Amino acid sequence: MATIEITHTPKEGTLADGDTVKGDGTGEILNAHGFRWFRSLRQYGIPQSRDRAPRIVAIENAADRLREAGHDVTVIIDGTVRDNATVQADKHERLEDRREALEAKGEKLARTAESLHRASDAMVEHLPLGQPVFPGPRGRAHRNLLERSVTTAIKAAHTAQEAERMPARIAGSRRAEAEKQRPDVVARRVKRREAELRSLDRRMASLAEHHPDTTSGRLYRQYEGERAELVERIAGDRAVLEQAKEAGTFGRYSRENVHADDAVRVRGQWRRVVRASPKTVSVTTGYSWTDKYGWEEVTDLRCSHVEEAAPSEG
């Protein structure tokens, strides 16, 4: 029987390490509880569990099933919630490592493509231009040589195309990382997380009211961890928004300085304002209905009432 240690830490996430072997049944049990095989780490773990609240229900249930199967299991859970700055720094470091790996892969693919091109040329360079291919068995070697040369050239072209895609993938990764820190994206994330927090509070209250004996159980402890994580992430994002407000890149527009018939820039397009509400602005679409956006999505204003709308606190 295997000896397995299931651990959860903010930095590494949830991992299962031990002397498991293929066919001993541990993989099937772990997979049934959300674990997956991490080829790079050569061990099982729960995907996307870094800096997330530990999935205590899945972890403990998996440990129970493993023990029932005769395995020796130890569970160690560190439910510490790291601050946003540390989390973002770690994410950035991992992304940079991936970008370096993509850059190295692109260089290797380019070298491989060049080598394949040279190999393809070398196969036929001794053949005179216009050399006819004899039919039947007499020309079989010639035909096979030409086919190998063409196949190698096609492979070289595909490899070169893959190499050319690497810079675009790296640039796309950088754009995606930067976009997540845009004030309007952060504001939408705060709203989503606040809604998640309210929903979680309702679930915890319902659990405590209808099943008071479970408040010290696995599900309630998991909810407590999820709540602590949400509170920290919301606080970190709100701090980012406050900095953006101080820098004048967020919170400049509200119903105080945007009026009906003004033009606002939303998601890269200029739209005519129909109605300005405390939390949202309704704009024309060119059809019989209007679109509604949060104020965080308004990035510019053409006001018909004043030459330049003054920044507001909203």
Side-chain angles (χ1 to χ4, degrees), residues 133-155:
V133 180
F134 295 106
R138 188 180 177 188
R140 183 179 297 123
H142 192 171
R143 286 194 299 273
N144 290 342
L145 185 62
L146 292 177
E147 288 176 3
R148 289 200 304 273
S149 176
V150 170
T151 300
T152 304
I154 292 173
K155 185 177 180 181

Side-chain angles (χ1 to χ4, degrees), residues 232-253:
E232 173 60 31
R233 299 295 166 255
I234 291 171
D237 281 342
R238 282 177 175 166
V240 172
L241 293 180
E242 288 301 320
Q243 293 175 359
K245 284 183 179 180
E246 293 176 2
T249 58
F250 176 74
R252 293 181 293 166
Y253 306 112

Side-chain angles (χ1 to χ4, degrees), residues 55-256:
R55 293 172 56 183
I56 294 176
V57 174
I59 293 170
E60 294 289 358
N61 287 351
D64 288 346
R65 300 293 86 77
L66 288 167
R67 292 186 185 109
E68 290 172 3
H71 303 288
D72 183 17
V73 183
T74 303
V75 176
I76 302 174
I77 296 178
D78 178 5
T80 303
V81 180
R82 299 198 297 176
D83 63 274
N84 273 22
T86 302
V87 172
Q88 293 301 324
D90 267 8
K91 283 184 178 179
H92 178 73
E93 184 177 350
R94 290 196 298 272
L95 287 171
E96 283 298 320
D97 288 342
R98 292 175 188 172
R99 290 164 191 150
E100 289 178 5
L102 286 175
E103 185 176 3
K105 181 179 178 181
E107 293 173 354
K108 181 178 179 181
L109 287 170
R111 291 194 299 270
T112 302
E114 180 62 26
S115 176
L116 288 170
H117 275 301
R118 289 197 300 268
S120 174
D121 292 341
M123 290 178 189
V124 295
E125 64 182 0
H126 63 284
L127 298 176
L129 291 177
Q131 173 70 43
V133 180
F134 295 106
R138 188 180 177 188
R140 183 179 297 123
H142 192 171
R143 286 194 299 273
N144 290 342
L145 185 62
L146 292 177
E147 288 176 3
R148 289 200 304 273
S149 176
V150 170
T151 300
T152 304
I154 292 173
K155 185 177 180 181
H158 289 166
T159 304
Q161 288 177 349
E162 183 66 20
E164 291 171 359
R165 280 196 286 267
M166 292 301 112
R169 290 179 61 181
I170 294 171
S173 172
R174 295 190 189 282
R175 285 196 302 271
E177 183 182 15
E179 183 178 1
K180 290 181 180 179
Q181 297 307 312
R182 271 179 23 207
D184 58 320
V185 175
V186 173
R188 290 197 295 272
R189 188 163 62 232
V190 167
K191 288 184 178 180
R192 186 184 71 250
R193 284 174 169 167
E194 287 176 339
E196 292 174 2
L197 182 60
R198 291 191 295 270
S199 175
L200 183 59
D201 284 341
R202 289 193 295 269
R203 293 200 301 274
M204 293 178 69
S206 176
L207 193 63
E209 178 181 357
H210 299 291
H211 304 281
D213 56 320
T214 65
T215 55
S216 61
R218 296 172 180 176
L219 182 58
Y220 199 84
R221 287 190 288 123
Q222 178 171 313
Y223 284 166
E224 288 178 326
E226 292 174 1
R227 191 182 193 285
E229 181 205 345
L230 277 172
V231 169
E232 173 60 31
R233 299 295 166 255
I234 291 171
D237 281 342
R238 282 177 175 166
V240 172
L241 293 180
E242 288 301 320
Q243 293 175 359
K245 284 183 179 180
E246 293 176 2
T249 58
F250 176 74
R252 293 181 293 166
Y253 306 112
S254 71
R255 67 182 303 181
E256 300 298 325

